[in-house]
Amino acid sequence: RIGVEAGAILALYGSISSVSYGVPNVLSTAAMATGSKHLGEARWSVLLWTLRFFHWFALGCGLLFALVLLTQRDAIVNLFSNNTEYPGFLELIDEVWPLFIVAQPVYALIAVLGPLLVTTQNYVYWGKVVALCFVAVYVPVTAVASARSSLLLVMLGDLLYNVAHVALLVWKVTHLEMGEIAKKARADAALAGPDS
């Protein structure tokens, strides 16, 4: 119902977002292996360092992908469209390109926070997050998008779903889990004393 041009733009959005998700996700699987080992061995300060490193890694990847889209829009669009002119295509791209840019750091954060959630042994929480975000955010927005045949609303539904997803993962991993791990790391450091 959104049209061929809009469908092509949605495919481009999906392809670009897959890279922004896939690259950091594959590289952050190391956190699951090493981080889980540190968790099992109660090496709190090393675990905390690992979690912090991968938070910064996610932000760096997301900002890099957003910068590429910000500075290379025409090259990316021409590569995807093979310089073929479709009526309304460029106008639609202009309308939704800001969402392309904003979405990439969000995808990179989800890509890394997911493995960090697994590192801290919170498998069930992730399922609840996905279900909640899907029902409470994605379905209502995309239902309205479908009724209005709006590419912008379809993409906004995806972005809002992912923003809610990131917010809940940050709350769990960054705020709760890392907060507890930091307390344990400080307690271990205090027990070890100043000479260790």
Side-chain angles (χ1 to χ4, degrees), residues 51-143:
L51 295 172
R52 285 179 178 157
F53 171 83
F54 280 98
H55 273 74
W56 287 109
F57 173 72
L59 287 172
C61 286
L63 293 175
L64 176 65
F65 290 126
L67 182 63
V68 168
L69 292 184
L70 186 64
T71 61
Q72 301 300 313
R73 176 204 173 273
D74 292 339
I76 293 167
V77 171
N78 288 337
L79 182 66
F80 181 76
S81 68
N82 201 23
N83 294 318
T84 305
E85 294 293 326
Y86 297 102
F89 183 77
L90 292 178
E91 291 80 7
L92 273 174
I93 281 283
D94 289 340
E95 180 183 350
V96 298
W97 197 256
L99 292 179
F100 272 75
I101 295 166
V102 171
Q104 303 324 300
V106 176
Y107 271 101
L109 283 166
I110 291 173
V112 174
L113 287 169
L116 297 185
L117 193 67
V118 172
T119 299
T120 57
Q121 310 296 303
N122 286 287
Y123 311 98
V124 174
Y125 178 81
W126 203 0
K128 292 175 183 177
V129 165
V130 169
L132 175 66
C133 292
F134 182 76
V135 172
V137 179
Y138 187 78
V139 170
V141 177
T142 54

